[in-house]
Structure formats: structure tokens, C-alpha cells
Amino acid sequence: DENSSQMDEGRLAERLMLGAAAHGLGAGIATLKNEGPDAIKPLLGIPADKRARTVVSVGRTDREARKALPKTPGGARKPMDEFARWDRY
């Protein structure tokens, strides 16, 4: 069924990304929605009768580009207390 296949894709993507990290590679995931699944097929050479819903990219991290990113206090993430609660709303 549709829900279990999406879960299987997520589990596979997770394992691909963990495997990439174990080999010193970076990885990212994209979930394709709306026109994305059909638009990606010609770009990646996926046959028309196959489904493309989750894409994992794997490659070497550009360490110099990472170093050049602006440094912000506390990183790029919001402080946890702005979006998470402990045992209350």
C-alpha cells in the first residue's frame, strides 16, 4: 500500500545516507511532490513507467564552502525553547 511504500523509501534513504557518512561522504534527501516526480524523470533518465518520489544525493562535502558560511550565534537553528515544550503546550 501507498503508506508502507513511503515508509520503506524513507528507511532506505536513511540507510543510504548513513552508508555515505560511513565512507566520508555527504548526503541529502529530497521528497518530490506535485509535478516533481514527473519533472525529475527525464533529468535522471528514469523510465516513464517507474515512480520517483524520494531522491538521495551523495557526494563529497565542499569543506571550504562550509567554512565560508556566515557564523551566527547559536548556529542557524532557533533555540529549542522557541518551538519545543516539555510536558506542556
Side-chain angles (χ1 to χ4, degrees):
D1 96 342
E2 187 72 14
N3 288 333
S4 65
S5 68
Q6 286 178 338
M7 183 173 172
D8 289 344
E9 288 176 24
R11 292 170 70 188
L12 174 62
E14 172 191 55
R15 283 155 179 80
L16 287 170
M17 293 173 70
L18 287 170
H23 289 276
L25 299 171
I29 186 172
T31 302
L32 306 174
K33 298 183 185 296
N34 302 323
E35 68 279 349
D38 290 327
I40 200 77
K41 288 180 184 183
L43 294 172
L44 298 178
I46 299 170
D49 64 326
K50 300 297 180 191
R51 179 178 58 207
R53 196 169 45 198
T54 305
V55 177
V56 177
S57 60
V58 178
R60 302 205 181 277
T61 302
D62 184 338
R63 297 194 191 287
E64 292 305 313
R66 296 288 302 236
K67 288 179 188 175
L69 291 173
K71 307 291 185 260
T72 57
R77 298 180 182 204
K78 292 181 181 180
M80 190 179 297
D81 61 356
E82 285 187 24
F83 64 88
R85 306 287 181 262
W86 181 258
D87 206 23
R88 65 179 177 81
Y89 178 75

